[in-house]
Amino acid sequence: AVTMFTGKANCPYYAKAELLADYLQTNLPNFRVHKITQHPDKWEQWLHDICETNGWQHSQSPIVWRELLDRGGKGQLLGGLNDFLEYAQQYYGITSMMLSEEMLDIAEENLQAHIEIVKEDEEIKSLIKPMQIWITSASVPICYHLIPLLANGEVFGMTTEISIHLLDTEQFKEILRSIVMEAEDMAFPLLRSISEHTKIDEAFIGADIIIVLDDVLLNLEVQSLENYIREVSEICQVYAPLIEKNAKSEVKVISSGKTFANLKATMLRTYGPSIRPENIIAISTPWESAAKAMLARKLNMNSAGVKDVIVWGNITGSNYIDLSHAKLYGYDCAIRGPPNFQRPLLNMIYDSEWIDSELLSAQSTLSSRVSRCTGMLPAHAIATVLRYWYRGSPSQEIISVGILSEGQFCIPEGIIFSMPVRLQNGNWEVMTELEINETTQKALGRLSHELVQEKLVALKEINEMHPYEAE
C-alpha cells in the first residue's frame, strides 16, 4: 500500500503531516508515501471532487488515505492530521513534536516551492505548444466524424500535437462527454487533450483554429427567412467578441454546416473587426465534391479524376457550379496518356442538354444530397481545406473557398463569397487570372445581389433589436 497526502500548499497542518510521512518512509522499509500539493485557490474544488468520486466525507486540509495497489478499487480514507498522527502512534509508535512556529515557516516554504514548480511545468509545456482547436455546436455529427481526421496527423503533420475543445450548450453536456471519452479511448498519438465546455464566457481561450458548426433548423413554413437570419446574426454577435478577447491574434475561423455558411463568416467578420479578414473562411468543398461525384457517375469514372470544378457564391444557399475550367484525369477515352494527362470535361460530355437541364439546374438535387449527409462529407471537407491551408493545395488545382470579397471578378466588397483560390503556408490567393465567360459573369451578379441582401437583412434585424448599440 501507499499512503497518499494532499493539502493546501500553505497549510501548516499539511506541513506537519508530510514531514512525519517523510520520516516514516525513510525509517520504515515498507512505508511508501505519495504527496500531492494543491494551490490554495484550487484546494476546495479538488477536495470536493475526490470526496465525491470516492464517497468520502472530509472538509479540511490535509486529507490522508491509503491506496491498496495490489487490490484496486477506491482508497481507504484515514482522515486529517490528527487521524494520521494517531495512526502513526498506534501502528509504529512514532509521533511528531513539530512546534507551531515551525509548521508556519514550512507551510510558507511549501507554497513558494509549489508556485515555482507550477511555473516550471507551464514553461515546459509552452515549449511544445499543442495547436488549440475549438469546435462550436460540437454535439452535431460533423464534429464526431471530424475529430479522427484532425487527430490522425494527416491535416497538420505527424510532428504537430493538438488539443481539441468541444463547445456546446449545457443540454448537450453528456453527448460532449461521451465524445471526449471515445476520443480518449482511441489513443491518438498527436491528441494531447480533448475536453468539453459549456460555459460560453470561457469559449475560444488560446484558440489557434475555430470551427463554427452552428446551424438553424430551417423550416420556412414555421417562420420567415428573416427570423432565421436574425438567429444566425445573434450567434455571431456572441461569438465574435469572445474570439477577439480570448483567441490568439492569428486565429483561423472556419464556417461550415448545412445552413448560412457564408452569412456566419460575414457576420463574424462584421462583429469581430479585429479578427484578420483573410483568416475567416467558409467551406465550399462539400458542394464541389458532390458535383464531381455527379459528373463522375455520368461519365462512368472515378470521381477523384474530376478536377477544377468551381463553386461560386452562397455555399449553402444559391450557388453556381462552373464547369468551364473542369478537367478529367485518367478518363477512359480514345486518347490515352500519362497520369498527368488531362482532357477538358465539357469536351467529354457530348450531351449538352444534360449539363443544362440536370447539373447546372440541379441545385435542389445537390442541396438535398449535401444537406442529408450524416456528417462524413462536411467533416472530410473541413479537414481537406485545413490541410491545404497549412500545408498547401495541389499547385495546379482550383479549390473553391468562401472568402471576404475585395472586388475580384466584379463581386461587391464586404461579403463572404465562394470563389477559386490557391492555398499555401497559411494563406490563400484568389485565382484572378481565370477567364470568366458571360454565363458565369451573369450568375455572379445574381449571386452577389442575394448575399448583399442577406447581409443587409441580418444587420437590419440586429439594429432593430439593439438600436443604441447600432448607433
Side-chain angles (χ1 to χ4, degrees), residues 14 47 97 156 165 171 183 185 193 196 223 255 276 296 305 313 370 393 411 443 450:
Y14 174 62
L47 180 64
M97 303 301 292
F156 305 107
H165 304 266
Q171 70 182 101
D185 290 345
S193 65
E196 76 266 13
Q223 58 178 323
S255 172
R276 288 185 63 189
V370 173
S393 58
I411 298 165
E450 178 183 294

Side-chain angles (χ1 to χ4, degrees), residues 67-75:
E67 291 280 2
L68 307 176
L69 299 179
D70 57 338
R71 300 182 193 177
K74 68 179 183 180

Side-chain angles (χ1 to χ4, degrees), residues 291-311:
K292 288 176 180 178
M294 184 177 285
L295 291 162
R297 282 188 285 270
K298 173 68 175 177
L299 293 162
N300 194 28
M301 66 176 291
N302 184 351
S303 59
V306 184
K307 307 288 186 184
D308 300 347
V309 173
I310 303 173
V311 178

Side-chain angles (χ1 to χ4, degrees), residues 142 213 215 256-261 264 316 370-374:
I142 299 175
L213 300 181
D215 268 320
S256 186
K258 298 179 180 180
T259 58
F260 298 108
K264 283 184 290 186
T316 50
V370 173
S371 63
R372 284 203 316 267
C373 68
T374 58

Side-chain angles (χ1 to χ4, degrees), residues 84-373:
F84 179 59
L85 291 175
E86 184 179 339
Y87 170 80
Q89 177 68 42
Q90 183 177 349
Y91 280 88
Y92 305 112
I94 298 172
T95 191
S96 172
M97 303 301 292
M98 183 187 292
L99 301 175
S100 297
E101 200 169 307
E102 292 178 277
M103 291 164 56
L104 292 171
D105 290 341
I106 294 173
E108 181 61 29
E109 290 177 12
N110 280 347
L111 178 59
Q112 295 306 316
H114 177 73
I115 292 172
E116 289 178 12
I117 290 169
V118 169
K119 186 178 178 181
E120 286 177 8
D121 287 345
E122 289 176 351
E123 288 175 354
I124 291 170
K125 290 177 181 178
S126 71
L127 296 175
I128 304 172
K129 290 184 179 178
M131 184 174 287
Q132 304 293 326
I133 302 172
W134 283 77
I135 305 174
T136 72
S137 195
S139 62
V140 300
I142 299 175
C143 177
Y144 184 81
H145 291 282
L146 180 60
I147 290 170
L149 300 177
L150 296 176
N152 66 14
E154 292 184 8
V155 174
F156 305 107
M158 298 305 295
T159 59
T160 303
E161 291 189 338
I162 65 173
S163 290
I164 297 176
H165 304 266
L166 308 179
L167 176 68
D168 215 319
T169 56
E170 186 71 28
Q171 70 182 101
F172 297 110
K173 188 171 185 177
E174 289 305 315
I175 295 176
L176 298 185
R177 188 165 294 172
S178 65
I179 294 173
V180 167
M181 292 180 66
E182 190 168 353
E184 288 173 342
D185 290 345
M186 294 176 78
F188 293 104
L190 297 174
L191 182 58
R192 174 79 69 81
S193 65
I194 181 167
S195 55
E196 76 266 13
H197 302 267
T198 55
K199 295 180 180 178
I200 190 64
D201 56 331
E202 297 175 2
F204 315 129
I205 292 175
D208 293 290
I209 296 170
I210 298 170
I211 301 169
V212 179
L213 300 181
D214 296 72
D215 268 320
V216 294
L217 297 175
L218 202 60
N219 186 345
L220 297 178
E221 294 179 2
V222 174
Q223 58 178 323
S224 68
L225 184 64
E226 288 76 13
N227 285 338
Y228 289 115
I229 289 174
R230 187 186 67 219
E231 284 184 37
V232 172
S233 296
E234 289 174 347
I235 291 169
C236 295
Q237 202 173 29
V238 172
Y239 285 166
L242 289 169
I243 294 172
E244 291 183 304
K245 177 185 174 184
N246 295 338
K248 293 179 182 173
S249 59
E250 297 296 308
V251 63
K252 288 178 165 56
V253 183
I254 294 168
S255 172
S256 186
K258 298 179 180 180
T259 58
F260 298 108
N262 292 57
L263 182 63
K264 283 184 290 186
T266 298
M267 300 317 291
L268 286 170
R269 168 69 188 129
T270 301
Y271 295 122
S274 69
I275 305 170
R276 288 185 63 189
E278 61 269 31
N279 281 3
I280 303 177
I281 68 170
I283 300 295
S284 311
T285 320
W287 287 88
E288 192 180 291
S289 300
K292 288 176 180 178
M294 184 177 285
L295 291 162
R297 282 188 285 270
K298 173 68 175 177
L299 293 162
N300 194 28
M301 66 176 291
N302 184 351
S303 59
V306 184
K307 307 288 186 184
D308 300 347
V309 173
I310 303 173
V311 178
W312 296 94
N314 191 353
I315 297 162
T316 50
S318 296
N319 56 50
Y320 176 70
I321 309 298
D322 182 2
L323 304 182
S324 61
H325 300 275
K327 303 176 185 67
L328 303 179
Y329 291 80
Y331 181 56
D332 187 10
C333 62
I335 303 175
R336 305 294 293 273
N340 62 349
F341 177 72
Q342 48 86 9
R343 302 284 289 163
L345 181 143
L346 291 178
N347 289 0
M348 297 296 102
I349 297 183
Y350 301 106
D351 186 357
S352 59
E353 289 186 8
W354 180 86
I355 296 175
D356 295 333
S357 63
E358 290 195 36
L359 181 68
L360 297 184
S361 63
Q363 180 77 24
S364 60
T365 304
L366 283 176
S367 177
S368 176
R369 183 179 297 279
V370 173
S371 63
R372 284 203 316 267
C373 68

